[in-house]
Amino acid sequence: MTDAFPAGTVPNRQNGQVHLLASRTGNGEILVLSLDAEGNVAGPALRLPSHEFPGYVLGQERDRPRWVWEDTARIYPLLLAAGIRVHRAHDLRLCHAILRQSSLTQASALARAEPSRWDRAVAFEPAASASGVTLFDLFDSDGDSAAGSDTETAADGVTGRDAGSAAAGFGTQAEYRRQLDAVRASAEPGRLRLLLAAESAGALIAAEMQFAGLPWRTDVHDALLTRELGPRVAPGIRPERLENLARRIRDAVGEPGLNPDSQPDLMRALQKVGLKVTSTRAWELKELTHPVIDPLLEYKKLARLLSANGWYWMDTWIVDGRFHPEYIPGGVVTGRWATRGGGALQLPKQVRGAVVADAGWKLVVADAAQLEPRILAALSADTAMAQAGRGTDLYAGIVAGGVVETRDHAKVAMLGAMYGATSGESGRLLPRLAKAFPRALALTETAARAGERGESVTTRLGRSSPRPGERWLATQAKAYDPGATDADERRARSQARDWGRFTRNFIVQGSAAEWALCWMAEVRRELRMLPQGAQGSQWAQGASGSEFDRAPHLVFFLHDEVMVHTPAALADTVEEIIRRAADTAGRHLFGDFPVDFLLTVATVDSYAQAK
């Protein structure tokens, strides 16, 4: 692998020779510092007016430098709006969060330092470039702003007033050097470098996917909603099907004025007809028998569709035929992504038919089969478990090995191992799974015991779980007091088990998130390497505008699933890239360990056709 990560498995060198740090100065300009591999200034500082910065970046991209900046989510959208994509970047905010928490860097100056601006969550403005906000408006203007409060002496060539205004840039440089030092002094510098590169590449991908958008047909969406809910009505009025279901619910419980959207009123009505319910959750209602249950379950499903992805959502989030989700890389402590608004990670099947490729284009949709169990097999070096999934469905392979009787049993048992289920069917099957795959089950049990003791666990590449807070520790301590009651001890055991379930899954889910980041970064890299020029006939004909209007590009990501929007002529090539990237990601994390990361890949016109 060349651009996204260093070559080899969890390698031990920093990729790229040229590092350019871009930071705001105190007088409304961009300070650009050329850095060497140690993070030291390698030449005179360059100060640029903000409007000249995109052009400068474009000129530098010929050499594919690694940009170092405070926050990709703040800076990169402005470059994208100018039609500029960068090959590589180091996101100081995201990388700081990893290094601050990682058990591999706890002896570093970065981890031991007092909390600073780098430890505070950054709220970014995703629509800044469209609203006339400049690059500098995206940074705070007070003394503890993204301009920085920790400064160093200015470099040679920046003196007097210039040195004062550039001080913030050297404060950002200082953070970069602290990060390099923390990695260099760690026990696993290669793994951490890969993780930081993957996290930073993910930030670039998130910004690009938000900017490019997911192709969306509002006419199809409207037709889907009309079919499910009835004709569109004014806000605040129930569509026809919902109103009919509400009427059936009222008749079934004998409450003509019942509002089924009011949880307290609905609970009282259900209890009044003799249903012993503690909530109105679907899983609980499905266990009951009464004429109200079927219309109520259907009402809840359609009401959720209306509120989450109804006409108001469509009018709000679909702009010029594109859905622009606001992705938040590292938004979950395990490293999984989150979103801010729009619900991109929870698109229901009812509306996936509205995700339609442009004319002459296709959607290539790929998802990794049984990703977390395969990650567990590789993490634990359990060759028997890896062999069960070689070239086949892992759960089917477990059945074929005589471990359990059915695929459903295999899935239930594996989820129990990764999430800590010890009762019911999962609890019954776990001993059989542990006998067949002792290394895998031992790893999850060890992680769970560490969590129960309040300790941290760490993923394959070096992301560590947070430790429990003061209230948790106080509860545990109280259980050991001479005067502790039985209730105190039960509470402590319950909390300890809960935290153990968290750490049990953290190492698996977190390592799976790392694999997915490497997978996406490889896909992005290879898509950008596709030939243009003489091979331009393979690309979209007659297209103009940004690179996203001409070339294949990632448009969607969901934990273990990616989607590429591509000119139809390149669909087969894109499929090959996605499959090859999955294999490469596996080698980056686990070397030659014989675990397969199988994909289901489909080239379709509509997202609904891929499922």
Side-chain angles (χ1 to χ4, degrees):
M1 194 170 184
T2 55
D3 285 341
F5 310 113
T9 303
V10 288
N12 226 345
R13 66 180 180 85
Q14 178 72 31
N15 186 31
Q17 300 302 313
V18 180
H19 302 72
L20 294 174
L21 184 146
S23 182
R24 175 197 179 188
T25 69
N27 60 354
E29 294 177 317
I30 294 286
L31 175 72
V32 179
L33 301 175
S34 179
L35 306 178
D36 61 22
E38 305 298 315
N40 299 312
V41 177
L46 176 67
R47 294 191 301 125
L48 296 169
S50 59
H51 67 274
E52 293 183 7
F53 182 61
Y56 174 80
V57 171
L58 182 61
Q60 294 298 314
E61 275 297 301
R62 292 190 301 268
D63 298 324
R64 297 189 178 184
R66 185 182 299 280
W67 293 95
V68 180
W69 48 45
E70 291 98 334
D71 189 351
T72 300
R74 289 180 172 229
I75 294 179
Y76 197 33
L78 298 166
L79 297 178
L80 291 171
I84 299 167
R85 295 176 71 189
V86 302
H87 284 83
R88 302 180 297 198
H90 180 97
D91 189 303
L92 289 168
R93 178 178 63 87
L94 291 174
C95 293
H96 178 93
I98 291 172
L99 297 174
R100 182 76 159 170
Q101 188 72 33
S102 177
S103 63
L104 303 179
T105 55
Q106 287 308 290
S108 68
L110 184 150
R112 291 184 286 106
E114 291 297 317
S116 69
R117 67 185 178 90
W118 298 101
D119 295 295
R120 292 198 292 271
V122 178
F124 61 94
E125 300 287 346
S129 60
S131 60
V133 180
T134 69
L135 177 63
F136 304 124
D137 292 324
L138 293 176
F139 295 86
D140 298 332
S141 58
D142 59 19
D144 194 28
S145 67
S149 57
D150 51 341
T151 61
E152 291 187 342
T153 303
D156 293 341
V158 183
T159 59
R161 184 180 65 83
D162 291 347
S165 66
F170 294 95
T172 305
Q173 179 214 359
E175 169 62 23
Y176 183 48
R177 290 179 61 183
R178 282 190 290 267
Q179 293 188 13
L180 293 179
D181 290 343
V183 172
R184 190 182 300 112
S186 72
E188 296 284 355
R191 292 183 180 179
L192 280 172
R193 288 184 182 124
L194 180 57
L195 175 56
L196 300 187
E199 188 86 341
S200 296
L204 294 176
I205 293 167
E208 290 172 355
M209 291 198 301
Q210 180 181 350
F211 181 84
L214 183 65
W216 200 282
R217 287 272 301 275
T218 53
D219 59 330
V220 175
H221 190 168
D222 179 72
L224 291 170
L225 292 176
T226 300
R227 184 186 68 198
E228 294 285 336
L229 301 170
R232 183 171 186 169
V233 293
I237 299 176
R238 289 192 186 95
E240 180 181 352
R241 284 200 65 197
L242 272 179
E243 185 56 43
N244 290 339
L245 287 166
R247 189 177 302 112
R248 289 177 57 191
I249 293 168
R250 296 185 189 110
D251 292 343
V253 296
E255 294 279 355
L258 175 66
N259 175 10
D261 297 315
S262 170
Q263 297 306 305
D265 291 351
L266 182 59
M267 283 281 292
R268 282 193 294 270
L270 294 176
Q271 292 168 353
K272 186 177 178 181
V273 296
L275 295 174
K276 297 180 180 180
V277 293
T278 59
S279 76
T280 60
R281 294 186 179 93
W283 65 266
E284 184 174 348
L285 294 174
K286 288 177 181 178
E287 301 295 321
L288 304 174
T289 302
H290 189 276
V292 75
I293 297 300
D294 286 345
L296 180 54
L297 288 172
E298 183 68 10
Y299 183 93
K300 289 175 68 68
K301 183 181 74 171
L302 295 183
R304 169 65 182 169
L305 172 63
L306 178 63
S307 64
N309 299 99
W311 288 283
Y312 178 80
W313 180 93
M314 182 179 72
D315 293 343
T316 302
W317 287 97
I318 309 304
V319 180
D320 296 330
R322 292 291 188 270
F323 174 33
H324 299 272
E326 302 172 23
Y327 293 102
I328 306 175
V332 180
V333 292
T334 58
R336 276 189 167 189
W337 287 16
T339 59
R340 182 180 287 107
L345 303 183
Q346 297 176 327
L347 288 181
K349 291 183 179 179
Q350 296 107 308
V351 300
R352 289 180 180 178
V355 182
V356 179
D358 293 343
W361 289 60
K362 295 287 185 180
L363 300 173
V364 180
V365 183
D367 67 271
Q370 306 96 41
L371 176 59
E372 289 190 358
R374 294 175 190 274
I375 290 290
L376 174 58
L379 274 175
S380 60
D382 194 315
T383 53
M385 187 169 163
Q387 183 59 37
R390 292 287 290 175
T392 187
D393 178 290
L394 175 61
Y395 299 137
I398 292 174
V399 173
V403 180
V404 293
E405 290 78 17
T406 68
R407 187 182 185 280
D408 284 345
H409 284 170
K411 184 173 182 179
V412 166
M414 190 62 68
L415 291 176
M418 294 187 298
Y419 288 88
T422 57
S423 60
E425 191 75 349
S426 180
R428 182 182 71 82
L429 296 169
L430 271 177
R432 300 167 67 174
L433 203 67
K435 183 178 180 180
F437 312 122
R439 294 180 68 94
L441 274 291
L443 185 144
T444 59
E445 288 301 316
T446 299
R449 300 294 86 77
E452 291 172 3
R453 294 189 298 270
E455 298 170 2
S456 179
V457 297
T458 300
T459 62
R460 172 65 174 172
L461 296 184
R463 192 188 304 267
S464 295
S465 64
R467 294 180 183 273
E470 292 299 325
R471 292 180 61 184
W472 188 95
L473 295 173
T475 299
Q476 299 303 306
K478 187 174 182 180
Y480 289 94
D481 284 344
T485 65
D486 289 343
D488 292 333
E489 294 178 0
R490 286 195 300 271
R491 188 178 303 111
R493 285 195 297 269
S494 177
Q495 287 191 358
R497 286 194 297 268
D498 287 345
W499 202 264
R501 281 191 287 269
F502 164 65
T503 52
R504 173 193 296 271
N505 183 246
F506 183 95
I507 53 170
V508 179
Q509 187 181 112
S511 298
E514 292 166 352
W515 179 89
L517 283 172
C518 293
W519 181 33
M520 280 201 299
E522 273 290 343
V523 170
R524 177 184 187 265
R525 182 187 70 85
E526 288 211 39
L527 290 179
R528 297 207 70 193
M529 289 176 62
L530 287 174
Q532 302 183 53
Q535 300 298 320
S537 59
Q538 294 183 353
W539 293 52
Q541 297 299 305
S544 60
S546 74
E547 184 177 330
F548 302 117
D549 296 323
R550 304 187 302 273
H553 55 279
L554 286 157
V555 291
F556 188 64
F557 168 58
L558 177 61
H559 305 321
D560 57 3
E561 180 179 333
V562 299
M563 183 188 302
V564 173
H565 193 214
T566 178
L570 285 173
D572 290 344
T573 300
V574 170
E575 283 199 17
E576 294 173 6
I577 286 173
I578 291 173
R579 294 183 188 278
R580 188 162 56 243
D583 292 338
T584 302
R587 288 195 299 273
H588 276 305
L589 266 70
F590 303 112
D592 295 328
F593 183 79
V595 61
D596 284 349
F597 290 98
L598 294 187
L599 303 180
T600 300
V601 185
T603 296
V604 295
D605 295 310
S606 165
Y607 188 17
Q609 297 169 349
K611 297 293 181 179

